[in-house]
């Protein structure tokens, strides 16, 4: 065996056998923000066979303080996070098959990505997506690792279908809309602590060492010097509609198909047209050049500076409208420009 | 009254009687939170009936969305 992974194979619970297992595995990471970049870098360095990373956003300067795969140049070029992450990850470890998708994950998209996946890592920033992940992984019998953080606080839980409670069991009442919006800032070490928990649990699962899984819900506050773990196995609810004996997967069936959503703490609205699957960015650039405002582009997106707003058009049809958190105002601007 | 919260000793006002009182005291009453009191998870529907006692060992984990 080559020396690349020698320090990891020397670690007994992994060993040569575990390393070989890691190289056979495929991990799907949803989100390429703070948690996503941290987990992706760890797993790619560790030599996981295939890593797929999905994200709907592009790199901005305010990401650089904690989203460890990105550079100033990525922010300057407004590269989609999935694209910038793939480039950096391939430079770190060319032996790993790294796949990237610039996508806003809903039920259909996720369903297509789950084939052949051994493990899913949650690096999203909202509960809408997490509950779709929770239902679909139950349906497809795939383990996933919840992680989240805000300020100096973070928490994580490993969901194993049939074995542990699921996120729906733990949360019962789901925070709606704005209740999940975290505007308290975040420090990088809080991210890294959640990432450490997620990646370690991922490695245990990938080398088939289930006995070593933490099995408890863990939370910490690095600034307040607090840590807490709770054995939540008693919360596994046999009547749970997501993981109980008669599942209906409620977050798949009554999926609201959010056409527009406010991005947390970003003063931005995402509009997702139901009728557009791919947008012709060349034609759009031409169309925008007749309007008042500056147009900038890269192969993945077109940015249009319109009065006090900035509109970013993606290949998959989505538009981010920066400078407002009012959905109806955003829709008006969208229709004024696109017609 | 002294209690132990997430591994740390804390003095809370005697006016707090229940788990629900304690959650508001810590600003967690509006959050989705799992509460463990002396090793037992307390059902959310009984937070306002479950009494606090001095030297209780409590663990709180609240859910956040960021990432």
């Amino acid at each position: 065996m080559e020396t690349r992974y020698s320090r990891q194979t020397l670690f007994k619970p992994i060993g040569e056998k575990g390393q070989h297992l890691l190289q056979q595995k495929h991990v799907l990471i949803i989100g390429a923000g703070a948690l996503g970049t941290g987990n992706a870098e760890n797993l790619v360095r560790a030599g996981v066979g295939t890593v797929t990373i999905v994200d709907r956003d592009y790199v901005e300067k305010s990401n650089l303080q904690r989203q460890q795969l990105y550079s100033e140049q990525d922010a300057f070029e407004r590269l989609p996070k999935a694209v910038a992450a793939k480039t950096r990850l391939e430079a770190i470890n060319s032996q790993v098959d790294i796949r990237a998708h610039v996508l806003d994950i809903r039920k259909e998209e996720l369903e297509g990505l789950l084939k052949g996946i051994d493990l899913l890592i949650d690096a999203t920033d909202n509960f809408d997506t997490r509950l779709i992940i929770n239902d679909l992984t139950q349906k497809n019998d795939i383990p996933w690792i919840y992680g989240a953080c805000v300020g100096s606080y973070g928490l994580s839980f490993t969901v194993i279908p049939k074995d542990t409670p699921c996120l729906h069991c733990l949360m019962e009442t789901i925070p709606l809309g704005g209740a999940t919006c975290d505007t308290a800032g975040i420090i990088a070490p809080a991210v890294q602590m959640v990432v450490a928990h997620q990646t370690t649990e991922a490695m245990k699962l990938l080398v088939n060492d289930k006995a070593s899984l933490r099995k408890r819900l863990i939370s910490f506050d690095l600034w307040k010097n607090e840590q807490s773990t709770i054995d939540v196995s008693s919360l596994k609810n046999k009547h749970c509609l997501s993981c109980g004996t008669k599942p209906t997967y409620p977050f798949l069936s009554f999926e609201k198909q959010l056409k527009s959503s406010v991005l947390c703490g970003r003063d931005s609205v995402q509009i997702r047209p139901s009728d557009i699957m791919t947008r012709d960015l060349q034609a759009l650039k031409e169309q925008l050049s007749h309007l008042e405002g500056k147009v900038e582009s890269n192969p993945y997106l077109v940015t249009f500076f319109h009065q006090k707003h900035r509109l970013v058009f993606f290949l998959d049809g989505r538009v981010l409208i920066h400078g407002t958190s009012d959905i109806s105002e955003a829709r008006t601007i969208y229709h004024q420009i696109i017609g | 009254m002294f209690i132990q919260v997430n591994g740390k000793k804390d003095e809370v006002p005697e006016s707090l009687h229940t788990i629900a009182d304690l959650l508001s005291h810590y600003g967690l009453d509006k959050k989705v939170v799992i509460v463990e009191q002396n090793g037992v998870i307390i059902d959310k529907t009984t937070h306002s009936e479950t009494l606090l006692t001095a030297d209780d060992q409590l663990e709180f984990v609240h859910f956040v969305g960021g990432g």
Side-chain angles (χ1 to χ4, degrees):
Chain A
M1 183 67 79
E2 56 173 324
T3 57
R4 171 163 203 142
Y5 304 112
S6 60
R7 299 304 185 274
Q8 193 163 278
T9 51
L10 275 172
F11 178 67
K12 288 230 169 57
I14 295 181
E16 297 287 349
K17 201 174 145 220
Q19 191 62 41
H20 186 69
L21 284 166
L22 285 178
Q23 282 159 3
Q24 316 293 315
K25 299 295 169 76
H26 187 170
V27 177
L28 173 61
I29 302 175
I30 306 295
L35 294 176
T37 53
N39 276 293
E41 178 161 350
N42 283 346
L43 293 173
V44 164
R45 285 190 189 275
V48 170
T50 308
V51 173
T52 297
I53 189 153
V54 186
D55 193 278
R56 65 181 179 181
D57 208 351
Y58 60 92
V59 182
E60 291 185 287
K61 259 194 185 163
S62 65
N63 303 144
L64 302 179
Q65 160 255 6
R66 68 199 179 285
Q67 303 189 12
Q68 65 188 67
L69 293 174
Y70 308 131
S71 66
E72 290 179 357
Q73 188 63 25
D74 296 330
F76 177 74
E77 293 179 33
R78 285 192 202 97
L79 285 179
K81 289 182 178 177
V83 172
K86 179 175 156 74
T87 305
R88 174 67 184 142
L89 291 168
E90 283 172 344
I92 288 171
N93 191 344
S94 57
Q95 297 174 347
V96 177
D97 179 1
I98 294 150
R99 304 175 189 177
H101 301 276
V102 184
L103 265 184
D104 183 29
I105 281 281
R106 317 288 332 159
K107 178 192 154 198
E108 285 76 21
E109 290 83 1
L110 185 54
E111 227 158 16
L113 288 170
L114 282 179
K115 283 186 198 78
I117 295 296
D118 296 287
L119 168 69
L120 185 153
I121 294 187
D122 160 37
T124 65
D125 60 1
N126 64 85
F127 284 108
D128 289 329
T129 312
R130 285 193 179 96
L131 290 161
I132 293 172
I133 290 173
N134 189 59
D135 274 5
L136 269 180
T137 48
Q138 287 294 332
K139 202 174 161 190
N140 291 276
D141 195 17
I142 295 169
W144 72 283
I145 305 173
Y146 162 69
C149 44
V150 61
S152 52
Y153 177 84
L155 74 165
S156 183
F157 185 69
T158 305
V159 180
I160 314 281
K162 300 190 191 92
D163 205 8
T164 68
C166 74
L167 188 65
H168 195 178
C169 295
L170 296 188
M171 297 186 66
E172 283 178 281
T173 46
I174 310 302
L176 297 169
T180 68
C181 193
D182 300 314
T183 50
I186 174 84
I187 57 170
V191 172
Q192 288 151 6
M193 185 70 110
V194 175
V195 168
H197 284 295
Q198 286 183 300
T199 306
T200 309
E201 289 281 282
M203 288 169 126
K204 294 172 190 171
L205 277 164
L206 296 173
V207 304
N208 299 340
D209 185 8
K210 278 197 174 182
S212 296
L213 289 169
R214 192 185 55 243
K215 300 175 192 77
R216 297 165 74 96
L217 173 65
I218 188 161
S219 74
F220 62 82
D221 190 314
L222 290 171
W223 209 269
K224 293 184 187 163
N225 310 306
E226 289 177 0
Q227 171 158 311
S228 176
T229 73
I230 297 185
D231 177 355
V232 288
S233 52
S234 67
L235 295 179
K236 184 162 175 61
N237 175 6
K238 63 178 190 223
H239 303 298
C240 173
L241 294 178
S242 297
C243 76
T245 46
K246 288 180 188 152
T248 59
Y249 309 114
F251 299 97
L252 305 184
S253 51
F254 64 64
E255 192 194 352
K256 292 164 223 86
Q257 274 299 345
L258 296 178
K259 298 289 189 270
S260 341
S261 50
V262 180
L263 301 191
C264 266
R266 295 262 314 264
D267 195 25
S268 305
V269 173
Q270 172 179 270
I271 293 186
R272 191 180 149 135
S274 50
D275 51 338
I276 301 176
M277 298 313 282
T278 56
R279 195 184 286 281
D280 182 343
L281 294 181
Q282 274 308 322
L284 176 74
K285 261 173 81 177
E286 166 63 20
Q287 183 188 344
L288 294 175
S289 68
H290 301 296
L291 302 173
E292 202 173 310
K294 192 166 59 139
V295 183
E296 288 178 2
S297 67
N298 66 33
Y300 313 98
L301 50 88
V302 171
T303 308
F304 182 51
F305 298 83
H306 177 73
Q307 293 160 11
K308 60 185 196 348
H309 299 102
R310 183 157 54 90
L311 288 80
V312 180
F313 298 84
F314 289 83
L315 272 173
D316 66 357
R318 288 178 301 116
V319 188
L320 293 184
I321 301 181
H322 301 289
T324 179
S325 46
D326 177 342
I327 287 181
S328 58
E329 186 191 10
R331 281 203 179 125
T332 308
I333 296 165
Y334 176 78
H335 290 300
Q336 273 169 4
I337 289 168
I338 293 298
Chain B
M1 157 171 60
F2 281 96
I3 53 172
Q4 181 114 356
V5 177
N6 292 353
K8 268 178 30 184
K9 205 170 185 185
D10 196 12
E11 185 173 15
V12 296
E14 297 289 340
S15 58
L16 305 182
H17 298 296
T18 66
I19 297 287
D21 295 342
L22 192 65
L23 288 176
S24 348
H25 175 72
Y26 287 118
L28 292 171
D29 48 325
K30 299 263 177 356
K31 306 222 164 135
V32 177
V33 53
I34 295 180
V35 179
E36 190 187 74
Q37 184 185 33
N38 306 320
V40 179
I41 293 178
I42 307 300
D43 193 299
K44 197 167 301 167
T45 57
T46 65
H47 283 178
S48 50
E49 297 145 34
T50 308
L51 297 176
L52 278 178
T53 316
D55 301 325
D56 268 353
Q57 303 221 0
L58 294 142
E59 303 285 337
F60 294 143
V61 174
H62 70 273
F63 285 83
V64 296

